[in-house]
């Protein structure tokens, strides 16, 4: 199987960490694929009409997207219900934690795209502050309400661990650990897992 994308993208890395945790990391390879906000990647659009990374191409040559669908697919083919239960409140809780992590990723990636790809004179500062506030609020919620769930290895805790690494990589000056010691300890412990080491981000 192939995943089209860039490992710096938290959405792409979530998929690879999940594959490793599911025991099928060796069955998935990365096809380096660059994307920008304002320009469509024709090769990617041929696989997915949305034209966003990641896209998984299965052994049957089917295209699967977006990251949450890919993660669900990987857990299903690996039979890893400990990562994502098939039904019930346990599944709902894990998916909700995953959604919190995705919300942080959406806000952080959006912030990064605004400051990195638009001219400074066009930056929408009120929107940037809203995105940063969304990240801060979600991080505070993770610190205060989600520690029992973060103690388990699921697609929810994977998502959170990956997006925290993305914050470190792109926004080291945000110092998110300062008032969140439990979240910091979670990230330190999870980052030592083989799945995270095998998908380590390049040097900044």
């Amino acid at each position: 199987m192939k995943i089209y994308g860039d490992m710096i993208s938290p959405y792409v890395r979530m998929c690879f960490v999940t594959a490793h945790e599911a025991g099928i990391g060796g069955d998935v390879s990365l096809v380096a694929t660059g994307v920008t906000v304002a320009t469509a990647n024709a090769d990617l659009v041929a696989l997915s009409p949305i034209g966003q990374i990641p896209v998984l191409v299965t052994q049957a040559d089917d295209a699967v997207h977006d990251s949450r669908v890919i993660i669900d697919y990987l857990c299903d083919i690996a039979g890893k219900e400990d990562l994502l239960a098939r039904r019930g409140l346990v599944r709902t809780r894990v998916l909700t934690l995953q959604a919190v992590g995705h919300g942080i990723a959406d806000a952080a990636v959006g912030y990064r795209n605004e400051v990195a790809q638009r001219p400074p004179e066009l930056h929408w500062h009120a929107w940037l502050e809203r995105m940063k506030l969304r990240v801060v609020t979600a991080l505070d919620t993770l610190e205060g309400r989600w520690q029992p769930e973060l103690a388990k290895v699921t697609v929810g805790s994977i998502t959170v661990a990956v997006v925290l690494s993305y914050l470190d990589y792109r926004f080291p000056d945000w110092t998110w650990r300062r008032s969140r010691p439990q979240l910091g300890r979670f990230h330190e412990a999870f980052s030592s897992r083989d799945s995270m080491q095998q998908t380590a981000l390049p040097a900044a």
Side-chain angles (χ1 to χ4, degrees):
M1 296 182 287
K2 300 176 182 178
I3 292 180
Y4 290 74
D6 182 336
M7 198 66 78
I8 293 174
S9 163
Y11 309 106
V12 173
R13 193 179 182 205
M14 291 168 196
C15 296
F16 277 95
V17 173
T18 300
H20 282 282
E21 291 290 350
I24 57 173
D27 298 331
V28 185
S29 61
L30 176 68
V31 179
T33 306
V35 292
T36 62
V37 171
T39 306
N41 181 310
D43 293 336
L44 199 61
V45 171
L47 296 170
S48 162
I50 306 303
Q52 294 180 334
I53 56 174
V55 176
L56 168 73
V57 176
T58 71
Q59 291 174 325
D61 212 31
D62 294 320
V64 180
H65 55 89
D66 63 4
S67 58
R68 281 173 281 199
V69 182
I70 294 170
I71 287 169
D72 186 271
Y73 176 81
L74 293 172
C75 290
D76 184 52
I77 63 173
K80 295 294 289 182
E81 293 191 43
D82 55 332
L83 295 178
L84 181 59
R86 293 185 184 275
R87 61 182 63 84
L89 292 177
V90 173
R91 177 182 174 88
T92 300
R93 189 70 173 165
V94 168
L95 290 177
T96 302
L97 179 57
Q98 183 189 40
V100 175
H102 259 268
I104 296 172
D106 291 345
V109 170
Y111 191 106
R112 166 69 183 178
N113 287 339
E114 178 75 4
V115 299
Q117 299 195 39
R118 282 168 63 91
E121 66 272 14
L122 297 179
H123 289 174
W124 187 0
H125 296 286
W127 183 85
L128 287 171
E129 287 303 312
R130 177 67 185 96
M131 292 303 100
K132 190 171 182 180
L133 179 60
R134 184 174 291 173
V135 171
V136 168
T137 302
L139 292 175
D140 288 343
T141 298
L142 291 171
E143 173 74 12
R145 302 181 187 176
W146 287 94
Q147 293 305 312
E149 287 80 7
L150 289 172
K152 305 169 186 175
V153 179
T154 67
V155 302
S157 59
I158 288 169
T159 301
V160 172
V162 167
V163 78
L164 292 177
S165 293
Y166 180 79
L167 294 181
D168 284 342
Y169 189 82
R170 290 300 195 197
F171 307 105
D173 59 320
W174 286 10
T175 59
W176 60 264
R177 291 174 180 79
R178 181 173 297 166
S179 59
R180 305 177 187 93
Q182 294 185 98
L183 200 56
R185 287 192 292 270
F186 155 76
H187 183 248
E188 182 179 8
F190 205 103
S191 294
S192 68
R193 296 184 66 83
D194 184 67
S195 62
M196 296 288 280
Q197 297 295 314
Q198 291 291 330
T199 62
L201 297 175

